[in-house]
Amino acid sequence: MKRIGLLTSGGDAPGMNAAIRAVVRTAIYYGIEVYGIERGYSGLIEDRMSPMEMRSVSNIVQRGGTILRTARCLEMLTEEGQKQAVSTLEKHGIEGLVVIGGDGSFRGAKCLTENYGIATIGIPGTIDNDLQYTDYTLGFDTAVNTCLEMVNKLRDTMTSHERISVVEVMGRHCGDIALYTGITSGAEIIIVPEVPYDMEDIVMRINRSRENGKHSNIVVVAEGVMSAEAFTKQLQEVTSYSVRATNIGHIQRGGSPSMADRMLAAQFGNKAVRLLKDGIGNRVVGIHDNHIIDMDILEAVSMKKQFDYELYETLQMISM
Ligand code: ATP
């Protein structure tokens, strides 16, 4: 393989830049040219791309966001859009494509391989950790660390005023950000899409913690269940403690990637190019049991994300 393309697609995630760097540097190591495609599949359809050199990726390993920028592209869902994307790749002599994004982006990559024979490799870049085939997605660790920093600060002020803090974190269908933030911040309650909540039980747990000498409470709610504002309203109706709402919002998508995310980015980017170099496409890379793995794209996107109920129970036992 002489020339490959690289794009970031869907929601951005810390570590995408580090993965871009790893892809470009590995490709250069093997003598493969890399074209950086701007704004995800939109850039592919509109032919917005340029060659990337060793120095194109200098000084980005520590930066959040994506230097290639990202977009959602409805045209890619149509046959016409896909044909246009393929014709751009052919025009530039690009034989393989690395796609950094979530499951939607992987579906786009699968289309290009199955219908048009373009070798594609997916790198899981999304803060949600909503892909079952990999233990972690790129950006998740940094996002949770950002949430932790916010919750630590909230805990200070909530304790001074003896309040309850309801903190909204991202996660439309997957409660992993709430689960991991909850356990590692010492939150008393987490509310996730995978487990129905019981307001009576929540009030009982809060009251019990106060009887045991606690001066504040943290409730972490995933956005997919409801907003912090809405939950605060519900909770305030059934408790005499003062409740305050905070939505961490887009802050959790930015920032310098953690060591864990930079390490994943280096390994994922490297593995992606090594697969393409060997003529292997239609795969996604991931990490399982501390080993870098690759898997068929369709198989990976068909796997239903399993919630970790054991971790959820752990939180129930130790946060009181
Ligand atoms: P995140 O998890 O951060 O939302 P994502 O990759 O799942 O990331 P999506 O918006 O679902 O984000 O998908 C990104 C882009 O991938 C879409 O805008 C579209 O261009 C392309 N895409 C999604 N699904 C398909 C599909 N079934 N066929 C072709 N292309 C697709």
Side-chain angles (χ1 to χ4, degrees):
M1 193 157 294
K2 298 251 177 310
R3 187 174 291 167
I4 62 172
L6 167 64
L7 59 83
T8 48
S9 165
D12 69 343
M16 279 185 164
N17 277 329
I20 291 171
R21 171 178 176 267
V23 167
V24 171
R25 296 268 167 95
T26 307
I28 290 170
Y29 176 87
Y30 286 119
I32 299 170
E33 284 183 302
V34 184
Y35 272 55
I37 300 156
E38 292 175 19
R39 305 184 66 241
Y41 290 114
S42 305
L44 191 52
I45 290 169
E46 294 161 14
D47 193 2
R48 294 161 64 125
M49 61 178 72
S50 50
M52 298 185 84
E53 315 291 343
M54 192 76 85
R55 296 275 79 78
S56 312
V57 292
S58 292
N59 205 20
I60 63 165
V61 72
Q62 78 281 17
R63 280 167 57 192
T66 157
I67 58 166
L68 293 174
R69 298 191 299 284
T70 181
R72 307 212 191 250
C73 169
L74 290 178
E75 266 181 285
M76 189 58 194
L77 302 174
T78 67
E79 200 183 322
E80 208 184 324
Q82 289 162 17
K83 280 189 173 150
Q84 187 54 47
V86 172
S87 103
T88 312
L89 290 171
E90 283 170 356
K91 177 179 150 192
H92 292 283
I94 295 171
E95 298 161 278
L97 182 68
V98 177
V99 172
I100 308 175
D103 65 329
S105 305
F106 287 177
R107 284 175 209 280
K110 181 186 77 72
C111 267
L112 293 176
T113 303
E114 277 187 1
N115 303 339
Y116 306 96
I118 308 286
T120 56
I121 303 288
I123 293 179
T126 169
I127 64 167
D128 292 341
N129 211 38
D130 56 355
L131 294 163
Q132 178 62 24
Y133 82 91
T134 181
D135 294 345
Y136 296 106
T137 57
L138 199 53
F140 172 69
D141 183 74
T142 308
V144 171
N145 276 299
T146 301
C147 293
L148 279 184
E149 207 184 316
M150 301 296 128
V151 173
N152 289 344
K153 289 177 181 176
L154 285 167
R155 180 71 91 175
D156 291 344
T157 172
M158 295 297 139
T159 303
S160 307
H161 291 272
E162 303 189 336
R163 285 174 175 151
I164 301 170
S165 179
V166 175
V167 190
E168 179 184 331
V169 299
M170 286 190 173
R172 275 168 292 166
H173 308 291
C174 173
D176 274 20
I177 296 181
L179 177 65
Y180 281 67
T181 300
I183 290 205
T184 55
S185 68
E188 287 76 25
I189 316 281
I190 65 158
I191 297 167
V192 291
E194 295 89 343
V195 185
Y197 69 91
D198 172 353
M199 198 54 113
E200 251 179 57
D201 181 62
I202 289 171
V203 172
M204 186 274 289
R205 288 172 63 85
I206 289 172
N207 290 343
R208 193 179 56 194
S209 77
R210 298 288 176 133
E211 282 154 21
N212 288 338
K214 252 198 177 155
H215 295 291
S216 66
N217 298 97
I218 302 284
V219 179
V220 180
V221 57
E223 65 173 334
V225 181
M226 71 174 82
S227 69
E229 286 285 348
F231 192 79
T232 295
K233 230 173 170 180
Q234 278 191 18
L235 183 58
Q236 194 63 86
E237 279 168 18
V238 290
T239 182
S240 54
Y241 301 113
S242 156
V243 192
R244 292 289 187 274
T246 303
N247 179 7
I248 301 178
H250 283 87
I251 288 171
Q252 64 206 289
R253 289 253 285 260
S256 185
S258 64
M259 179 279 281
D261 277 330
R262 293 183 201 196
M263 186 62 86
L264 278 187
Q267 293 176 292
F268 286 170
N270 184 263
K271 177 81 176 177
V273 176
R274 290 164 81 137
L275 288 168
L276 284 178
K277 170 189 76 76
D278 293 337
I280 300 168
N282 205 23
R283 310 288 287 176
V284 288
V285 299
I287 184 162
H288 185 59
D289 287 346
N290 236 3
H291 286 97
I292 300 300
I293 54 154
D294 62 284
M295 184 183 276
D296 179 81
I297 297 187
L298 182 59
E299 197 183 330
V301 295
S302 308
M303 288 171 83
K304 191 173 159 26
K305 172 76 181 178
Q306 302 295 318
F307 186 67
D308 192 336
Y309 290 96
E310 213 173 303
L311 265 188
Y312 184 80
E313 275 173 29
T314 303
L315 178 134
Q316 304 277 98
M317 286 185 217
I318 67 175
S319 301
M320 46 179 53

